[in-house]
Amino acid sequence: MGHPLALDILVPATSPTRKRIAEILQERWRRLGIKVTVTGVDFPVFQQRLAKGQFDSYIGAYLDEPSPRGLADQWTRAGWGALNFGRYENRAFDSLFARAEATGEPAAAHVAWREALDTLNADPPAIFLY
């Protein structure tokens, strides 16, 4: 029949909120037959593990600036080594992102950004909790 799905959620031990969110996910997914562990580590270790890609999943908290830079750092191939810890890559999104970023005329830029964001939304790189 195969192996049951199992994964770990990495959280910083200094964040009771993220730990609690992970525990709620753990319980909900347990009901679906998914074995989930929650690993809390000191914040510097959390950051090191993210940077090295040493996690199955993690609960992150970001105050994204509503700008192309925020999107680039988290969701483009260029963001590997920045904030794209999951190493998400979508060549279509990257291409549309570059085109939108280079578009100077406001109406055309609006259309280009909408197309880029629609592409990202159709291939969700994360589960956004709130």
Side-chain angles (χ1 to χ4, degrees), residues 36-58:
V36 176
T37 55
V38 177
T39 300
V41 296
D42 290 334
F43 195 71
V45 174
F46 178 76
Q47 290 179 306
Q48 289 170 355
R49 288 191 54 187
L50 290 181
K52 292 179 179 179
Q54 296 174 333
F55 59 88
D56 292 333
S57 66
Y58 69 96

Side-chain angles (χ1 to χ4, degrees), residues 75-77 90-103 112 115-116 119:
W75 307 122
T76 68
R77 174 63 176 85
N90 179 319
R91 291 173 196 247
F93 172 72
D94 283 3
S95 175
L96 291 165
F97 178 91
R99 190 183 82 205
E101 197 171 34
T103 303
E115 189 176 358
T119 300

